[in-house]
Amino acid sequence: MSGPAGIPSAGVSEEELAHIAHLARLALDPREVPRLREELARILALVDEMNAIDTADLSPMAHPVETAQRLRRDEVGEEDRRELLQQGAPEVEDGLYLVPRVVD
Amino acid sequence: MDTSRWEAVIGLELHAQLATRSKIFSGAPTGYGAPPNRQACAVDLGLPGVLPVLNGTALSMAVKFGLAVGATVARHSVFARKNYFYPDLPKGYQISQYELPIVEGGAVHISTEGASRRVGITRAHLEEDAGKSVHDVVSGRSAIDLNRAGIPLLEIVSEPDMRSAAEAVAYMQEVHAIVRYLEICDGNMQEGSFRCDANVSVRRRGEHALGTRTELKNLNSFRFVERAIRHEIDRQIAVLESGGTVVQQTRHYDAERNDTRPLRDKEEANDYRYFPDPDLLPVEIDDAFVESIRSALPELPGDRRRRFVADYGLGLDEARLLTSDRHLANYFEATLGDEGADPRLAAHWVTGELGAHLNREGRDISASPVSPEMMQGLLRRLRDGTVSGPVAKEVLKAMWDGEGDADHVIEGRGLRQVNDDDALSRLVDDVLDAHPDQVSQFRSGRQKVLGYLVGQAMKASRGKANPQRVNALMRARLTE
């Protein structure tokens, strides 16, 4: 994938694409793979272009808005709305959300 | 198995739930034990359109910890998304900190069996807790309770500076004491307020490169931490001695079998793809904020322990026990207000007899029915000879049961020690008259029966007689 500053990336291999898709829990249609690899390669080429710029004197920008995080007072301001919130859940029992069994 | 050729290398990741009223990014309450999902709001559920806002108190608490361990408190820190899928993490990511944590550096000092060691702290960062999955209540389903989702955590990561299970526990206990002194975490391990993961590896003694490590999970008591690490060190040594290799993996500790078993492949689990959370702006704090927290720091457990040894002449173990809990240390010091107070006597009674009452009823020192003032009153009467040790135990029990202060109990129950020689002489005469056999045994050379006779006199006085005086008077009478 994208290398350190200045070194062009070699795009995304099929294995890398499959790995990323798995991490994101995306089921890829094999027919989509060539197109996605091409699109990702173009995105990474853009990253390469940015990596080529000397940023030694610049501080990283974590956010496009130039203000700092606002803080909240430590007060309970939310009331219990479980019944309302659980209306959107596919399955509920005794106040618990039920999901397909996951085993550790 | 020759363990002396091997050295263990241990680092701990401690998770302290911060004792805020509301969650780290929402206004939902944080109390323990509420019915399922009654304390999980739309933010905690990660519903679309919600926006997290940082709890200022959680931030202050993290800063407090950083200052207490001599760390650098970052004036600029960033929240990041840690991406993984699990049903008790509805957003698909945990809000945590990665590249720019709030606390970096610092150290904690521990001592085990006389040797002391500095354990470095790599970092401490703020993050949200996940919910809870229950796998055994509904068949074929996992059940999710999101009350815990969004409770603030401080994850405290140590350097791999510990060399034994005992050192790991000592470090964990020290951090546990610190967070409770700072009142940023209640430290309740049964309720999961203070949790531990351990990274363990071994290497040949004298080597510098680190061996392959495993991560131990589910260590929810000090005892389990020690046992699990000890077990894992032995397991790794056995693997290496038999020519095998240690596999990097997460292992789950099973307390019932005192065994660990692999949990999941660490390689994939570690692919978290962190990136700055666009929902949260960078956290900027200024020097005034940091200094206001620094100026309010309490005396820390290590300093207090050293002071108790130096100023009060206590032994290290006693000092450690008393300072393990800020309230206990406060209680102890509150009993020392008297002129002529005897700190060692006070320590003995607070950790000993009072400690036994507290343990028996599973109470915390702050819930002791015997106040420090009442304890001080009892210690006063012990020092001036009004009561002896055994009678003082009876007085303490009566105070515990709500009979009032020491003087009240002593007068009410007639427990004042008898020091008057006339009264004691009469007591001695009565005992000798009642035991003619023992008297003649003594006189024919069996001096040991004196102890028995003194015991009888003490019993007859219901413990009130001054035992030294009884002993002297009895010996004088028998050798007349």
Side-chain angles (χ1 to χ4, degrees):
Chain A
M1 299 189 10
S2 67
I7 303 169
S9 70
V12 179
S13 71
E14 272 188 44
E15 291 72 30
E16 284 171 332
L17 184 68
H19 178 61
I20 297 163
H22 172 68
L23 287 173
R25 298 297 184 272
L26 294 175
L28 292 190
D29 184 330
R31 285 170 301 179
E32 290 179 291
V33 169
R35 179 178 58 82
L36 287 169
R37 283 185 63 200
E38 200 187 305
E39 285 179 9
L40 280 171
R42 281 210 299 274
I43 293 168
L44 290 174
L46 179 65
V47 174
D48 286 340
E49 224 172 287
M50 292 191 284
N51 273 343
I53 301 165
D54 181 4
T55 55
D57 295 334
L58 298 175
S59 53
M61 183 177 73
H63 207 278
V65 186
E66 295 224 347
T67 55
Q69 176 63 37
R70 185 167 65 86
L71 300 178
R72 196 171 55 73
R73 287 175 69 93
D74 182 24
E75 285 165 356
V76 173
E78 294 284 350
E79 53 194 68
D80 171 29
R81 291 193 293 167
R82 185 177 82 179
E83 279 66 27
L84 174 73
L85 292 169
Q86 293 198 330
Q87 280 174 22
E91 223 181 328
V92 167
E93 191 172 309
D94 295 334
L96 293 156
Y97 295 93
L98 298 188
V99 299
R101 185 179 167 85
V102 281
V103 182
D104 267 324
Chain B
M1 191 167 67
D2 179 14
T3 55
S4 66
R5 290 162 50 210
W6 299 93
E7 176 180 63
V9 178
I10 303 156
L12 298 188
E13 290 169 20
L14 301 174
H15 284 89
Q17 275 189 358
L18 297 176
T20 54
R21 283 186 286 270
S22 65
K23 293 190 176 173
I24 183 166
F25 299 119
S26 82
T30 55
Y32 181 80
N37 294 306
R38 289 274 176 223
Q39 299 186 160
C41 70
V43 175
D44 309 325
L45 265 56
L47 294 187
V50 299
L51 197 63
V53 185
L54 180 61
N55 183 332
T57 300
L59 177 65
S60 306
M61 287 176 168
V63 171
K64 218 174 181 181
F65 178 80
L67 295 173
V69 297
T72 303
V73 173
R75 301 303 193 263
H76 172 91
S77 69
V78 170
F79 282 97
R81 292 185 178 181
K82 176 179 177 176
N83 299 281
Y84 67 94
F85 287 102
Y86 206 74
D88 57 26
L89 187 76
K91 294 193 297 295
Y93 60 86
Q94 177 191 27
I95 304 177
S96 182
Q97 295 192 296
Y98 188 56
E99 280 181 339
L100 297 167
I102 181 76
V103 169
E104 279 187 282
V108 162
H109 297 271
I110 58 165
S111 56
T112 47
E113 286 164 10
S116 57
R117 191 187 286 283
R118 173 192 189 277
V119 178
I121 288 177
T122 315
R123 56 186 277 151
H125 64 252
L126 283 164
E127 61 184 25
E128 58 178 347
D129 209 342
K132 259 186 185 162
S133 310
V134 193
H135 304 298
D136 43 19
V137 286
V138 184
S139 88
R141 289 278 182 279
S142 289
I144 311 297
D145 176 8
L146 295 170
N147 283 346
R148 204 180 63 182
I151 288 187
L153 293 177
L154 187 66
E155 178 173 335
I156 303 157
V157 182
S158 84
E159 293 288 308
D161 283 349
M162 291 150 278
R163 295 291 174 267
S164 69
E167 285 188 358
V169 171
Y171 164 77
M172 187 178 171
Q173 281 171 335
E174 190 66 19
V175 174
H176 187 251
I178 291 170
V179 296
R180 283 161 68 238
Y181 265 60
L182 298 174
E183 293 178 333
I184 62 174
C185 172
D186 68 19
N188 188 325
M189 293 172 74
Q190 280 87 47
E191 294 178 2
S193 302
F194 191 77
R195 314 197 281 265
C196 176
D197 299 339
N199 288 305
V200 179
S201 65
V202 300
R203 63 184 171 196
R204 278 184 197 281
R205 210 165 278 282
E207 255 181 46
H208 292 289
L210 292 172
T212 305
R213 67 161 196 262
T214 57
E215 183 177 3
L216 301 180
K217 296 235 179 221
N218 195 35
L219 311 177
N220 50 17
S221 76
F222 293 120
R223 198 159 49 98
F224 289 168
V225 168
E226 181 149 16
R227 280 168 51 184
I229 292 176
R230 191 161 283 156
H231 178 275
E232 180 60 13
I233 292 169
D234 288 347
R235 189 191 69 84
Q236 290 187 14
I237 292 173
V239 166
L240 294 169
E241 294 240 308
S242 66
T245 49
V246 174
V247 179
Q248 179 168 342
Q249 60 191 182
T250 301
R251 299 179 70 90
H252 183 94
Y253 178 64
D254 183 336
E256 268 172 40
R257 294 164 46 202
N258 188 30
D259 199 2
T260 62
R261 58 188 158 76
L263 200 62
R264 64 182 174 208
D265 202 339
K266 181 90 184 171
E267 241 173 305
E268 192 198 358
N270 254 347
D271 205 342
Y272 292 130
R273 295 147 292 142
Y274 288 93
F275 64 89
D277 190 327
D279 284 345
L280 287 152
L281 293 159
V283 179
E284 311 281 353
I285 55 178
D286 57 22
D287 291 349
F289 175 75
V290 174
E291 290 315 311
S292 72
I293 292 173
R294 193 196 303 277
S295 65
L297 282 182
E299 184 183 23
L300 292 164
D303 296 332
R304 203 165 196 184
R305 192 163 56 235
R306 284 184 281 279
R307 185 165 64 78
F308 277 18
V309 171
D311 292 2
Y312 299 142
L314 302 186
L316 188 59
D317 284 342
E318 209 162 30
R320 182 176 288 142
L321 184 59
L322 282 169
T323 57
S324 64
D325 177 333
R326 182 181 177 178
H327 300 292
L328 183 62
N330 289 347
Y331 185 102
F332 163 71
E333 291 206 282
T335 67
L336 301 179
D338 272 352
E339 196 171 330
D342 178 348
R344 293 171 71 171
L345 182 74
H348 178 77
W349 280 83
V350 170
T351 60
E353 201 60 21
L354 180 65
H357 282 291
L358 293 166
N359 280 343
R360 201 187 47 243
E361 294 194 9
R363 283 190 198 222
D364 198 69
I365 188 71
S366 37
S368 168
V370 178
S371 69
E373 293 70 29
M374 290 162 79
M375 181 56 97
Q376 189 176 354
L378 176 62
L379 293 168
R380 197 180 299 141
R381 296 300 161 241
L382 265 164
R383 289 199 311 276
D384 69 14
T386 305
V387 292
S388 63
V391 171
K393 286 189 184 181
E394 182 185 337
V395 176
L396 181 61
K397 172 80 169 64
M399 293 198 295
W400 182 274
D401 292 336
E403 286 185 33
D405 66 20
D407 286 347
H408 185 83
V409 171
I410 291 165
E411 292 313 319
R413 293 193 172 198
L415 296 175
R416 182 177 287 279
Q417 180 161 281
V418 179
N419 292 304
D420 169 48
D421 274 2
D422 289 343
L424 292 176
S425 294
R426 283 196 296 279
L427 174 69
V428 166
D429 287 344
D430 289 348
V431 170
L432 295 184
D433 288 348
H435 298 85
D437 290 353
Q438 282 81 2
V439 170
S440 57
Q441 279 174 28
F442 183 89
R443 287 187 169 141
S444 61
R446 272 200 73 210
Q447 302 234 339
K448 270 164 46 183
V449 296
L450 179 65
Y452 171 79
L453 291 166
V454 171
Q456 292 302 308
M458 291 307 296
K459 197 169 160 189
S461 75
R462 289 175 45 236
K464 291 187 297 181
N466 178 326
Q468 285 82 28
R469 287 306 302 152
V470 169
N471 198 301
L473 289 167
M474 187 143 331
R475 182 178 287 279
R477 180 60 58 90
L478 284 166
T479 51
E480 263 171 7

